[in-house]
PDB file of all heavy atoms in Angstrom:
ATOM      1  N   ALA B 273      79.857 -29.679  31.941  1.00 98.00           N
ATOM      2  CA  ALA B 273      80.025 -29.217  30.561  1.00 98.00           C
ATOM      3  C   ALA B 273      81.203 -29.950  29.921  1.00 98.00           C
ATOM      4  O   ALA B 273      82.143 -30.377  30.595  1.00 98.00           O
ATOM      5  CB  ALA B 273      80.263 -27.716  30.528  1.00 98.00           C
ATOM      6  N   GLU B 274      81.158 -30.069  28.587  1.00 98.00           N
ATOM      7  CA  GLU B 274      82.216 -30.732  27.839  1.00 98.00           C
ATOM      8  C   GLU B 274      82.798 -29.762  26.821  1.00 98.00           C
ATOM      9  O   GLU B 274      82.082 -29.246  25.964  1.00 98.00           O
ATOM     10  CB  GLU B 274      81.682 -31.980  27.122  1.00 98.00           C
ATOM     11  CG  GLU B 274      81.143 -33.042  28.070  1.00 98.00           C
ATOM     12  CD  GLU B 274      80.629 -34.261  27.330  1.00 98.00           C
ATOM     13  OE1 GLU B 274      80.695 -34.261  26.075  1.00 98.00           O
ATOM     14  OE2 GLU B 274      80.173 -35.204  27.996  1.00 98.00           O
ATOM     15  N   LEU B 275      84.115 -29.545  26.919  1.00 98.00           N
ATOM     16  CA  LEU B 275      84.814 -28.644  25.999  1.00 98.00           C
ATOM     17  C   LEU B 275      85.813 -29.457  25.183  1.00 98.00           C
ATOM     18  O   LEU B 275      86.716 -30.080  25.739  1.00 98.00           O
ATOM     19  CB  LEU B 275      85.548 -27.547  26.769  1.00 98.00           C
ATOM     20  CG  LEU B 275      84.741 -26.746  27.804  1.00 98.00           C
ATOM     21  CD1 LEU B 275      85.605 -25.643  28.400  1.00 98.00           C
ATOM     22  CD2 LEU B 275      83.474 -26.182  27.199  1.00 98.00           C
ATOM     23  N   ALA B 276      85.642 -29.434  23.868  1.00 97.00           N
ATOM     24  CA  ALA B 276      86.534 -30.199  22.987  1.00 97.00           C
ATOM     25  C   ALA B 276      87.872 -29.478  22.818  1.00 97.00           C
ATOM     26  O   ALA B 276      87.997 -28.290  23.146  1.00 97.00           O
ATOM     27  CB  ALA B 276      85.858 -30.411  21.642  1.00 97.00           C
ATOM     28  N   PRO B 277      88.889 -30.167  22.310  1.00 96.00           N
ATOM     29  CA  PRO B 277      90.192 -29.522  22.081  1.00 96.00           C
ATOM     30  C   PRO B 277      90.062 -28.277  21.215  1.00 96.00           C
ATOM     31  O   PRO B 277      89.309 -28.236  20.250  1.00 96.00           O
ATOM     32  CB  PRO B 277      90.993 -30.613  21.371  1.00 96.00           C
ATOM     33  CG  PRO B 277      90.399 -31.890  21.860  1.00 96.00           C
ATOM     34  CD  PRO B 277      88.932 -31.609  22.008  1.00 96.00           C
ATOM     35  N   GLY B 278      90.830 -27.251  21.596  1.00 96.00           N
ATOM     36  CA  GLY B 278      90.854 -26.013  20.847  1.00 96.00           C
ATOM     37  C   GLY B 278      89.791 -25.005  21.229  1.00 96.00           C
ATOM     38  O   GLY B 278      89.766 -23.897  20.692  1.00 96.00           O
ATOM     39  N   VAL B 279      88.914 -25.347  22.168  1.00 98.00           N
ATOM     40  CA  VAL B 279      87.886 -24.397  22.606  1.00 98.00           C
ATOM     41  C   VAL B 279      88.529 -23.271  23.401  1.00 98.00           C
ATOM     42  O   VAL B 279      89.425 -23.497  24.221  1.00 98.00           O
ATOM     43  CB  VAL B 279      86.797 -25.109  23.447  1.00 98.00           C
ATOM     44  CG1 VAL B 279      85.895 -24.103  24.143  1.00 98.00           C
ATOM     45  CG2 VAL B 279      85.983 -26.038  22.559  1.00 98.00           C
ATOM     46  N   ASP B 280      88.056 -22.054  23.169  1.00 98.00           N
ATOM     47  CA  ASP B 280      88.549 -20.863  23.860  1.00 98.00           C
ATOM     48  C   ASP B 280      87.354 -20.168  24.510  1.00 98.00           C
ATOM     49  O   ASP B 280      86.421 -19.755  23.812  1.00 98.00           O
ATOM     50  CB  ASP B 280      89.231 -19.939  22.856  1.00 98.00           C
ATOM     51  CG  ASP B 280      89.883 -18.718  23.510  1.00 98.00           C
ATOM     52  OD1 ASP B 280      89.698 -18.530  24.727  1.00 98.00           O
ATOM     53  OD2 ASP B 280      90.550 -17.957  22.788  1.00 98.00           O
ATOM     54  N   VAL B 281      87.366 -20.043  25.833  1.00 98.00           N
ATOM     55  CA  VAL B 281      86.277 -19.416  26.581  1.00 98.00           C
ATOM     56  C   VAL B 281      86.782 -18.106  27.158  1.00 98.00           C
ATOM     57  O   VAL B 281      87.757 -18.066  27.914  1.00 98.00           O
ATOM     58  CB  VAL B 281      85.770 -20.343  27.710  1.00 98.00           C
ATOM     59  CG1 VAL B 281      84.641 -19.668  28.493  1.00 98.00           C
ATOM     60  CG2 VAL B 281      85.288 -21.674  27.135  1.00 98.00           C
ATOM     61  N   GLY B 282      86.117 -16.994  26.813  1.00 98.00           N
ATOM     62  CA  GLY B 282      86.589 -15.673  27.163  1.00 98.00           C
ATOM     63  C   GLY B 282      86.208 -15.216  28.557  1.00 98.00           C
ATOM     64  O   GLY B 282      85.522 -15.925  29.314  1.00 98.00           O
ATOM     65  N   PRO B 283      86.611 -13.998  28.911  1.00 98.00           N
ATOM     66  CA  PRO B 283      86.382 -13.458  30.256  1.00 98.00           C
ATOM     67  C   PRO B 283      84.899 -13.394  30.619  1.00 98.00           C
ATOM     68  O   PRO B 283      84.063 -13.014  29.798  1.00 98.00           O
ATOM     69  CB  PRO B 283      86.983 -12.046  30.188  1.00 98.00           C
ATOM     70  CG  PRO B 283      87.918 -12.080  29.041  1.00 98.00           C
ATOM     71  CD  PRO B 283      87.368 -13.051  28.065  1.00 98.00           C
ATOM     72  N   TYR B 284      84.599 -13.802  31.843  1.00 98.00           N
ATOM     73  CA  TYR B 284      83.265 -13.674  32.449  1.00 98.00           C
ATOM     74  C   TYR B 284      82.190 -14.481  31.719  1.00 98.00           C
ATOM     75  O   TYR B 284      80.998 -14.283  31.979  1.00 98.00           O
ATOM     76  CB  TYR B 284      82.850 -12.206  32.554  1.00 98.00           C
ATOM     77  CG  TYR B 284      83.813 -11.388  33.383  1.00 98.00           C
ATOM     78  CD1 TYR B 284      84.751 -10.560  32.765  1.00 98.00           C
ATOM     79  CD2 TYR B 284      83.820 -11.483  34.771  1.00 98.00           C
ATOM     80  CE1 TYR B 284      85.658  -9.837  33.519  1.00 98.00           C
ATOM     81  CE2 TYR B 284      84.727 -10.757  35.533  1.00 98.00           C
ATOM     82  CZ  TYR B 284      85.635  -9.938  34.904  1.00 98.00           C
ATOM     83  OH  TYR B 284      86.551  -9.217  35.663  1.00 98.00           O
ATOM     84  N   ALA B 285      82.588 -15.363  30.837  1.00 98.00           N
ATOM     85  CA  ALA B 285      81.606 -16.253  30.219  1.00 98.00           C
ATOM     86  C   ALA B 285      81.120 -17.268  31.248  1.00 98.00           C
ATOM     87  O   ALA B 285      81.846 -17.625  32.189  1.00 98.00           O
ATOM     88  CB  ALA B 285      82.214 -16.968  29.018  1.00 98.00           C
ATOM     89  N   ILE B 286      79.883 -17.741  31.064  1.00 98.00           N
ATOM     90  CA  ILE B 286      79.304 -18.749  31.949  1.00 98.00           C
ATOM     91  C   ILE B 286      78.809 -19.902  31.091  1.00 98.00           C
ATOM     92  O   ILE B 286      77.974 -19.710  30.203  1.00 98.00           O
ATOM     93  CB  ILE B 286      78.143 -18.175  32.785  1.00 98.00           C
ATOM     94  CG1 ILE B 286      78.635 -17.009  33.652  1.00 98.00           C
ATOM     95  CG2 ILE B 286      77.519 -19.267  33.649  1.00 98.00           C
ATOM     96  CD1 ILE B 286      77.530 -16.310  34.426  1.00 98.00           C
ATOM     97  N   ILE B 287      79.321 -21.098  31.357  1.00 98.00           N
ATOM     98  CA  ILE B 287      78.956 -22.304  30.624  1.00 98.00           C
ATOM     99  C   ILE B 287      78.279 -23.250  31.606  1.00 98.00           C
ATOM    100  O   ILE B 287      78.894 -23.695  32.567  1.00 98.00           O
ATOM    101  CB  ILE B 287      80.189 -22.994  29.997  1.00 98.00           C
ATOM    102  CG1 ILE B 287      81.060 -21.987  29.242  1.00 98.00           C
ATOM    103  CG2 ILE B 287      79.753 -24.154  29.115  1.00 98.00           C
ATOM    104  CD1 ILE B 287      80.394 -21.352  28.067  1.00 98.00           C
ATOM    105  N   GLY B 288      76.999 -23.565  31.374  1.00 98.00           N
ATOM    106  CA  GLY B 288      76.218 -24.326  32.329  1.00 98.00           C
ATOM    107  C   GLY B 288      76.257 -25.822  32.112  1.00 98.00           C
ATOM    108  O   GLY B 288      76.970 -26.337  31.234  1.00 98.00           O
ATOM    109  N   PRO B 289      75.452 -26.552  32.873  1.00 98.00           N
ATOM    110  CA  PRO B 289      75.439 -28.020  32.793  1.00 98.00           C
ATOM    111  C   PRO B 289      74.823 -28.510  31.489  1.00 98.00           C
ATOM    112  O   PRO B 289      73.949 -27.874  30.903  1.00 98.00           O
ATOM    113  CB  PRO B 289      74.565 -28.415  33.992  1.00 98.00           C
ATOM    114  CG  PRO B 289      73.670 -27.229  34.220  1.00 98.00           C
ATOM    115  CD  PRO B 289      74.511 -26.031  33.884  1.00 98.00           C
ATOM    116  N   GLY B 290      75.319 -29.662  31.047  1.00 98.00           N
ATOM    117  CA  GLY B 290      74.773 -30.256  29.842  1.00 98.00           C
ATOM    118  C   GLY B 290      75.170 -29.551  28.565  1.00 98.00           C
ATOM    119  O   GLY B 290      74.584 -29.799  27.507  1.00 98.00           O
ATOM    120  N   VAL B 291      76.174 -28.686  28.638  1.00 98.00           N
ATOM    121  CA  VAL B 291      76.642 -27.960  27.459  1.00 98.00           C
ATOM    122  C   VAL B 291      77.821 -28.712  26.849  1.00 98.00           C
ATOM    123  O   VAL B 291      78.731 -29.143  27.560  1.00 98.00           O
ATOM    124  CB  VAL B 291      77.049 -26.520  27.807  1.00 98.00           C
ATOM    125  CG1 VAL B 291      77.704 -25.835  26.610  1.00 98.00           C
ATOM    126  CG2 VAL B 291      75.841 -25.723  28.279  1.00 98.00           C
ATOM    127  N   SER B 292      77.805 -28.856  25.531  1.00 98.00           N
ATOM    128  CA  SER B 292      78.910 -29.481  24.813  1.00 98.00           C
ATOM    129  C   SER B 292      79.365 -28.530  23.720  1.00 98.00           C
ATOM    130  O   SER B 292      78.557 -28.099  22.887  1.00 98.00           O
ATOM    131  CB  SER B 292      78.465 -30.815  24.203  1.00 98.00           C
ATOM    132  OG  SER B 292      79.494 -31.375  23.412  1.00 98.00           O
ATOM    133  N   ILE B 293      80.654 -28.181  23.715  1.00 98.00           N
ATOM    134  CA  ILE B 293      81.193 -27.230  22.742  1.00 98.00           C
ATOM    135  C   ILE B 293      82.227 -27.937  21.877  1.00 98.00           C
ATOM    136  O   ILE B 293      83.187 -28.515  22.388  1.00 98.00           O
ATOM    137  CB  ILE B 293      81.806 -26.010  23.454  1.00 98.00           C
ATOM    138  CG1 ILE B 293      80.749 -25.332  24.334  1.00 98.00           C
ATOM    139  CG2 ILE B 293      82.369 -25.026  22.445  1.00 98.00           C
ATOM    140  CD1 ILE B 293      81.257 -24.146  25.108  1.00 98.00           C
ATOM    141  N   GLY B 294      82.025 -27.866  20.556  1.00 98.00           N
ATOM    142  CA  GLY B 294      82.867 -28.589  19.624  1.00 98.00           C
ATOM    143  C   GLY B 294      84.252 -27.983  19.453  1.00 98.00           C
ATOM    144  O   GLY B 294      84.519 -26.839  19.832  1.00 98.00           O
ATOM    145  N   ALA B 295      85.113 -28.736  18.837  1.00 97.00           N
ATOM    146  CA  ALA B 295      86.523 -28.374  18.694  1.00 97.00           C
ATOM    147  C   ALA B 295      86.691 -27.021  18.012  1.00 97.00           C
ATOM    148  O   ALA B 295      85.982 -26.678  17.061  1.00 97.00           O
ATOM    149  CB  ALA B 295      87.254 -29.453  17.903  1.00 97.00           C
ATOM    150  N   ASN B 296      87.638 -26.244  18.540  1.00 97.00           N
ATOM    151  CA  ASN B 296      88.084 -24.973  17.953  1.00 97.00           C
ATOM    152  C   ASN B 296      87.010 -23.885  17.945  1.00 97.00           C
ATOM    153  O   ASN B 296      87.132 -22.907  17.206  1.00 97.00           O
ATOM    154  CB  ASN B 296      88.630 -25.187  16.533  1.00 97.00           C
ATOM    155  CG  ASN B 296      89.767 -26.181  16.507  1.00 97.00           C
ATOM    156  OD1 ASN B 296      90.677 -26.120  17.320  1.00 97.00           O
ATOM    157  ND2 ASN B 296      89.699 -27.128  15.587  1.00 97.00           N
ATOM    158  N   SER B 297      85.971 -24.059  18.733  1.00 98.00           N
ATOM    159  CA  SER B 297      84.967 -23.001  18.860  1.00 98.00           C
ATOM    160  C   SER B 297      85.440 -21.956  19.857  1.00 98.00           C
ATOM    161  O   SER B 297      86.172 -22.261  20.807  1.00 98.00           O
ATOM    162  CB  SER B 297      83.620 -23.578  19.310  1.00 98.00           C
ATOM    163  OG  SER B 297      83.034 -24.346  18.279  1.00 98.00           O
ATOM    164  N   ARG B 298      85.006 -20.713  19.637  1.00 98.00           N
ATOM    165  CA  ARG B 298      85.385 -19.619  20.522  1.00 98.00           C
ATOM    166  C   ARG B 298      84.137 -19.018  21.150  1.00 98.00           C
ATOM    167  O   ARG B 298      83.188 -18.634  20.461  1.00 98.00           O
ATOM    168  CB  ARG B 298      86.147 -18.539  19.759  1.00 98.00           C
ATOM    169  CG  ARG B 298      87.509 -18.974  19.258  1.00 98.00           C
ATOM    170  CD  ARG B 298      88.483 -17.785  19.171  1.00 98.00           C
ATOM    171  NE  ARG B 298      87.955 -16.707  18.351  1.00 98.00           N
ATOM    172  CZ  ARG B 298      88.258 -16.512  17.069  1.00 98.00           C
ATOM    173  NH1 ARG B 298      89.064 -17.357  16.450  1.00 98.00           N
ATOM    174  NH2 ARG B 298      87.768 -15.482  16.400  1.00 98.00           N
ATOM    175  N   VAL B 299      84.170 -18.928  22.473  1.00 98.00           N
ATOM    176  CA  VAL B 299      83.085 -18.331  23.251  1.00 98.00           C
ATOM    177  C   VAL B 299      83.592 -17.007  23.789  1.00 98.00           C
ATOM    178  O   VAL B 299      84.528 -16.966  24.589  1.00 98.00           O
ATOM    179  CB  VAL B 299      82.648 -19.268  24.396  1.00 98.00           C
ATOM    180  CG1 VAL B 299      81.565 -18.614  25.233  1.00 98.00           C
ATOM    181  CG2 VAL B 299      82.169 -20.607  23.831  1.00 98.00           C
ATOM    182  N   GLY B 300      83.002 -15.920  23.348  1.00 98.00           N
ATOM    183  CA  GLY B 300      83.503 -14.595  23.678  1.00 98.00           C
ATOM    184  C   GLY B 300      83.205 -14.162  25.105  1.00 98.00           C
ATOM    185  O   GLY B 300      82.588 -14.887  25.883  1.00 98.00           O
ATOM    186  N   PRO B 301      83.617 -12.955  25.454  1.00 98.00           N
ATOM    187  CA  PRO B 301      83.411 -12.448  26.810  1.00 98.00           C
ATOM    188  C   PRO B 301      81.932 -12.264  27.132  1.00 98.00           C
ATOM    189  O   PRO B 301      81.134 -11.907  26.265  1.00 98.00           O
ATOM    190  CB  PRO B 301      84.143 -11.102  26.799  1.00 98.00           C
ATOM    191  CG  PRO B 301      84.235 -10.718  25.365  1.00 98.00           C
ATOM    192  CD  PRO B 301      84.332 -11.989  24.596  1.00 98.00           C
ATOM    193  N   ARG B 302      81.591 -12.568  28.381  1.00 98.00           N
ATOM    194  CA  ARG B 302      80.254 -12.340  28.921  1.00 98.00           C
ATOM    195  C   ARG B 302      79.162 -13.127  28.202  1.00 98.00           C
ATOM    196  O   ARG B 302      77.984 -12.778  28.274  1.00 98.00           O
ATOM    197  CB  ARG B 302      79.911 -10.842  28.935  1.00 98.00           C
ATOM    198  CG  ARG B 302      80.718 -10.051  29.954  1.00 98.00           C
ATOM    199  CD  ARG B 302      80.553  -8.557  29.775  1.00 98.00           C
ATOM    200  NE  ARG B 302      81.226  -8.104  28.571  1.00 98.00           N
ATOM    201  CZ  ARG B 302      82.528  -7.801  28.514  1.00 98.00           C
ATOM    202  NH1 ARG B 302      83.271  -7.891  29.604  1.00 98.00           N
ATOM    203  NH2 ARG B 302      83.085  -7.398  27.384  1.00 98.00           N
ATOM    204  N   VAL B 303      79.534 -14.170  27.514  1.00 98.00           N
ATOM    205  CA  VAL B 303      78.542 -15.060  26.899  1.00 98.00           C
ATOM    206  C   VAL B 303      77.944 -15.956  27.977  1.00 98.00           C
ATOM    207  O   VAL B 303      78.650 -16.436  28.868  1.00 98.00           O
ATOM    208  CB  VAL B 303      79.192 -15.925  25.796  1.00 98.00           C
ATOM    209  CG1 VAL B 303      78.260 -17.057  25.358  1.00 98.00           C
ATOM    210  CG2 VAL B 303      79.570 -15.059  24.608  1.00 98.00           C
ATOM    211  N   LEU B 304      76.620 -16.172  27.899  1.00 98.00           N
ATOM    212  CA  LEU B 304      75.946 -17.136  28.762  1.00 98.00           C
ATOM    213  C   LEU B 304      75.419 -18.271  27.898  1.00 98.00           C
ATOM    214  O   LEU B 304      74.633 -18.041  26.981  1.00 98.00           O
ATOM    215  CB  LEU B 304      74.784 -16.485  29.515  1.00 98.00           C
ATOM    216  CG  LEU B 304      73.820 -17.455  30.226  1.00 98.00           C
ATOM    217  CD1 LEU B 304      74.538 -18.253  31.309  1.00 98.00           C
ATOM    218  CD2 LEU B 304      72.614 -16.708  30.789  1.00 98.00           C
ATOM    219  N   ILE B 305      75.862 -19.491  28.181  1.00 98.00           N
ATOM    220  CA  ILE B 305      75.262 -20.688  27.598  1.00 98.00           C
ATOM    221  C   ILE B 305      74.675 -21.451  28.780  1.00 98.00           C
ATOM    222  O   ILE B 305      75.385 -22.123  29.526  1.00 98.00           O
ATOM    223  CB  ILE B 305      76.278 -21.535  26.823  1.00 98.00           C
ATOM    224  CG1 ILE B 305      77.008 -20.676  25.781  1.00 98.00           C
ATOM    225  CG2 ILE B 305      75.586 -22.703  26.135  1.00 98.00           C
ATOM    226  CD1 ILE B 305      78.062 -21.416  24.983  1.00 98.00           C
ATOM    227  N   GLU B 306      73.366 -21.321  28.962  1.00 98.00           N
ATOM    228  CA  GLU B 306      72.755 -21.691  30.241  1.00 98.00           C
ATOM    229  C   GLU B 306      72.795 -23.183  30.524  1.00 98.00           C
ATOM    230  O   GLU B 306      73.234 -23.613  31.580  1.00 98.00           O
ATOM    231  CB  GLU B 306      71.317 -21.188  30.285  1.00 98.00           C
ATOM    232  CG  GLU B 306      70.666 -21.385  31.652  1.00 98.00           C
ATOM    233  CD  GLU B 306      69.329 -20.707  31.744  1.00 98.00           C
ATOM    234  OE1 GLU B 306      68.324 -21.291  31.292  1.00 98.00           O
ATOM    235  OE2 GLU B 306      69.284 -19.575  32.263  1.00 98.00           O
ATOM    236  N   ARG B 307      72.301 -24.005  29.575  1.00 98.00           N
ATOM    237  CA  ARG B 307      72.253 -25.445  29.832  1.00 98.00           C
ATOM    238  C   ARG B 307      71.844 -26.198  28.573  1.00 98.00           C
ATOM    239  O   ARG B 307      71.310 -25.627  27.620  1.00 98.00           O
ATOM    240  CB  ARG B 307      71.272 -25.770  30.964  1.00 98.00           C
ATOM    241  CG  ARG B 307      69.823 -25.447  30.654  1.00 98.00           C
ATOM    242  CD  ARG B 307      68.870 -25.759  31.808  1.00 98.00           C
ATOM    243  NE  ARG B 307      69.016 -27.134  32.258  1.00 98.00           N
ATOM    244  CZ  ARG B 307      69.518 -27.465  33.466  1.00 98.00           C
ATOM    245  NH1 ARG B 307      69.905 -26.521  34.314  1.00 98.00           N
ATOM    246  NH2 ARG B 307      69.625 -28.736  33.813  1.00 98.00           N
ATOM    247  N   ASP B 308      72.130 -27.502  28.569  1.00 98.00           N
ATOM    248  CA  ASP B 308      71.604 -28.451  27.582  1.00 98.00           C
ATOM    249  C   ASP B 308      71.711 -27.931  26.144  1.00 98.00           C
ATOM    250  O   ASP B 308      70.756 -27.977  25.366  1.00 98.00           O
ATOM    251  CB  ASP B 308      70.154 -28.809  27.913  1.00 98.00           C
ATOM    252  CG  ASP B 308      70.043 -29.483  29.279  1.00 98.00           C
ATOM    253  OD1 ASP B 308      70.966 -30.243  29.621  1.00 98.00           O
ATOM    254  OD2 ASP B 308      69.061 -29.227  30.001  1.00 98.00           O
ATOM    255  N   THR B 309      72.904 -27.459  25.823  1.00 98.00           N
ATOM    256  CA  THR B 309      73.167 -26.863  24.511  1.00 98.00           C
ATOM    257  C   THR B 309      74.380 -27.544  23.884  1.00 98.00           C
ATOM    258  O   THR B 309      75.385 -27.781  24.554  1.00 98.00           O
ATOM    259  CB  THR B 309      73.433 -25.357  24.642  1.00 98.00           C
ATOM    260  OG1 THR B 309      72.249 -24.720  25.099  1.00 98.00           O
ATOM    261  CG2 THR B 309      73.869 -24.736  23.322  1.00 98.00           C
ATOM    262  N   THR B 310      74.274 -27.842  22.594  1.00 98.00           N
ATOM    263  CA  THR B 310      75.390 -28.408  21.842  1.00 98.00           C
ATOM    264  C   THR B 310      75.819 -27.430  20.763  1.00 98.00           C
ATOM    265  O   THR B 310      74.991 -27.001  19.948  1.00 98.00           O
ATOM    266  CB  THR B 310      74.986 -29.740  21.193  1.00 98.00           C
ATOM    267  OG1 THR B 310      74.606 -30.672  22.210  1.00 98.00           O
ATOM    268  CG2 THR B 310      76.148 -30.313  20.391  1.00 98.00           C
TER     269      THR B 310
END
């Protein structure tokens, strides 16, 4: 997975393969981003 500067990933979140998260995005608790997601 690729996390850009400023990304915040919360408790128990799961970020899978092929995931790209843009700058300053926030992923809350218990979020699942399974795969191949931008």
Side-chain angles (χ1 to χ4, degrees):
E274 298 180 0
L275 308 184
V279 168
D280 185 354
V281 179
Y284 301 102
I286 300 175
I287 311 296
V291 173
S292 175
I293 302 178
N296 303 314
S297 290
R298 293 209 305 263
V299 177
R302 290 169 289 276
V303 168
L304 168 62
I305 307 179
E306 187 172 83
R307 65 181 306 112
D308 298 324
T309 295
T310 300

